[in-house]
Amino acid sequence: MKFIDLAREKAIWAGGLVVFLLLTFFPFTATKGMALALLKQGDFSHSIWNQLGELPLLNLLLLLLLLITILGLLNLGKRLRGKLLFALSLSGALLFTIQFVLLTPEIKLGMGSFILFFSFLLFLARSLSRLGLIRGDAFVSGSILSIAALLVIFIIYPLLVILTKSFIVERAFKPANIFTVLIAYPSTWRIMKNSLLMASTVGVFSTAIGLAFALVIERSRFRFKRFLHGFSLLPIITPPFVIGLAIIFMFGRMGFFTNKVLGIRSSFIFGYPGIVLAQTLCFAPIAFLILSGVIHSMDTALEEASYTLGANRWRSFRTIIWPLMRPGIANAFLLSVIESLADFANPILLGGDFDVLATSIYLAIIGRYDEVLAASLGIVLLSVTLTTFVVQRYWVGKRSYVTITGKPSRFATLPLPKGLDYSLVGFTLLWAALTIALYGSVFLGGFVKLWGINNTFTLMHYKRFLSDGFGSYITTLQLAAISAPLTAVLGLLIAYLVSRYRFFGRQPFEFTSMLSFAIPGTVIGIGYVMAFNTAPLVFTGTAAILVICFVFRNMPVGIRSGMAALQQIDPALEEASITLGASNLRTFSKVVLPLIRPAILSGLIFSFVRAMTAISAVIFLVTARTKLATTVILGRIEAGKLGLATAYCTILIITMAAAIVLMNIIVKRMVKTGKMHVSGEEMEAVKI
Amino acid sequence: MSNDKMETSELKLENISKRFGKVTAIDQVSLDIPHGKLITLLGPSGCGKTTILRIIAGLEIPTSGHVFLGGEDITELPPNERKISMVFQSYALFPHMNVYENIAYGLRVMHWPEQKIRETVRESLKMAGMGGLEKRGPSELSGGQQQRVAVTRSLVLQPKVLLFDEPLSNLDAKLRKRMRGEIRNLQRDLGITSVYVTHDQSEALAISDQIVVMANAVISQVGGPTELYKKPANSFVADFIGEANIVEAELVGIEGGKARVKVGPFKLSVHYRQEPDKGSRVKLMIRPEDIHIDPTVKKGLRGVVKYAMYEGATNDYTVETEVGELSISDYKSEGGFCERGTEVFLSFREENVFLIN
Ligand SMILES: Nc1ncnc2c1ncn2[C@@H]1O[C@H](COP(=O)(O)OP(=O)(O)O)[C@@H](O)[C@H]1O
Ligand SMILES: [Mg+2]
């Protein structure tokens, strides 16, 4: 028996060698903002080989890596090698953490150190799957461990930093400090009261309007209901501030409706009414999507059974449809509440002196430079949204899944009771008219000199855009285009792992990955600023931090569409692939990916759109070099250049609409050439 | 193939248990599956058949116990390294690939040259009577064709063991009969070791070398089709394989390897598997076709017809008697059709009555 076996464990010894090679070319420590960069030519002062003597554990780490590499060459028993690999790689990952988090947190880590850490993780993953601790091969276990590490770094760690900011005073743990801070700040109570009032009102209104639209589109006799469909979805591709600007144009001091029609000059819209109107317009579509999904998948046989048992249309509606829809309604309400609390753009634009949590956090950092206050308010906001999120997910979420059985509903749907139908159609048409008026005003606002004061036609705002905005437009496009595929793939991978594999820690894994949905952007923003501005991880000021922020904030969308798509795929297909000899990676790429292509595309487009329209988190992260469209628009609004802001918004809307149309064409073509079998629900998901 | 190899077990399960949380899906199951034979796992739904199959395939890892393939312990070997193929209940044909690509899938995994793959796929499709359908998508095939593609896809890999999970349950009754004949012939011709799961006892009787009857996560009895039908180990097997009347009787004595029992007006001498305890009451299994019914003789076990059904080949009755209700399948219909309420007289075909413990 040979003692050295090159063929058996190629992945380990070759992998080890590659890591050594990479460590030579990437800086192990970083200067500010260069965490992800390559070594500069000729300058090897940040290379790992120059730090060896200085950090005692580093020598040990490299020794461990060397041992792992050699282990891959030795001809040992399978279990023995698995155990040795487990011990070596686990101690590697732990020692790394001890050295750079506990012993020398002041060292700024560079690309090389990430490579070293993740290589230990991947070797650990391989040993775990070899030892049968994670069911699945190295691809599965490697993905699980790497994603878990990323979740810890980019979601848990920033949250912890926020907590320490307000709980730790002069290196002593004093949780009561948060109350001291909040009580000392005079507006705390008013802000909290305002936020809750706003969120609950918006929750009720959005849900009601979403429900009206869902009922009309799924169940009305109205012939032109497809037309309403488009309107209900329009706000999703709308950048922040558009609705706010439109409301100012229509209902502000110089507003078309208030001033020209009613002939009054009043700022009543700034504050509670304006925010509620704007947010309802923004979030009703989300409620609509949830509720139309619920209604769509409801089995009409249940209603037919009710008719055959002698109930009339109205009674069936009350006793069958309504109870089945209730969990969905709770769901829509809670999600609207979360969105409303997290919303930054509308309150900052329309709030006046009605200040809410999200805007107060921003002002605490930008206006008062008070990190502790910002962190404390952030914790309050986070606890409210998180509680809502947990209620939504584990109480309502479970119930609503029970009612939505996977059975596809048939084509014939039963119409609503007549009276209800007509009043709902009337109402939704009115709402659509309001939407048209608002969007129209924004569109027109870009072509007049000064809305309400000088209404002569002009192209000057668009000309101005070319000089004062085009740069940020391109930056935004680039960053959105980079982050969209990353988000979609990561979200999909997480959906795949969570729905198809059982592993230790799956629940917290899933929870954390969906968590960023419940963390308001402002909280993520201050978390990132506080966490990634100082060693050991320094990313602020780079474009990378923006991409990372986009990816981890938008990931839940990718996860959701991935989960929905995977639910429709018989797991037996994957099992068939595996029993036919294919690896998990091959199964994922040849069977799973092609079957969920629509979900991938919709995930892609969704994350693209969300990246284009992000504001609340990135406003803390942009620099002069990395300006984004939304932050520029906010700047112009604050400078009073509403025309330019409006023109910019119009261009963003057109860009996103074009992207969505393009994607729909691609999907349609795929379906037509017979390469795909798309169910109705998937098409719905794509259309978003 | 040497005779020696025929006798050695190819696949061996040793004390396999599997729990899902609190549910025990299978409990201490041991099985030897000889080379080239077709073994059927038969039992009501939920008794753990699929779980056993998935453990053999490597899709589940048993909570305890071991799986051996050709003497090698494969309990923890990943499914894609096992050379065991599975035909799924839903066929699991890849909907985004046509027939050709489906069958070529496993061969491509093994990095066969494309030329050789093409020849193999063509040939195997022709053998399955499906030449020329290469370009069809799975949804453009009939149920029977889909089934053939699924089997072919597994067979081209020449697996050491082929697993079937209720492969015919999605077909209509006529096609089911035909396909089970096809599967049996193919399996015999290729001499491929197979494990076949079904809840349909007639299917099991028709195609198996051996049947493993399962109930509630454990094995009830293992045996050939005839043995299970004629000599069931317990009343569950008796009832599950075919139809059976279980009748209480009084044990009189043991005589020449047979038990003398008293049931109703009869004294019978019947076969048994285990010698029953003296003086105890025992249970007899009497198949419906082993009861003779006659309205006229006025001799034997008296009864009254409770349900009467004309079934074409037979007349089926349920008759109330002093030993309980009895189901009867009357093939000859010598006495004509007996309407509900008729007084009838029954007798048993003594050599087929079996004592169960
Ligand atoms: N993945 C699983 N999780 C939980 N319980 C399961 C799982 N798979 C099977 N079971 C349970 O194990 C028992 C046996 O199931 P199965 O092997 O599918 O039965 P059969 O194929 O004989 O109908 C059932 O009670 C079933 O509910
Ligand atoms: Mg089953």
Side-chain angles (χ1 to χ4, degrees), chain B residues 46-62:
Chain B
C47 68
K49 308 177 298 283
T50 300
T51 306
I52 292 187
L53 220 56
R54 292 171 60 83
I55 285 172
I56 296 173
L59 295 170
E60 305 277 2
I61 294 216

Side-chain angles (χ1 to χ4, degrees), chain B residues 45-46 48-51 89 165-166 197:
Chain B
S45 131
K49 308 177 298 283
T50 300
T51 306
Q89 188 165 10
D165 190 4
E166 311 211 10
V197 162

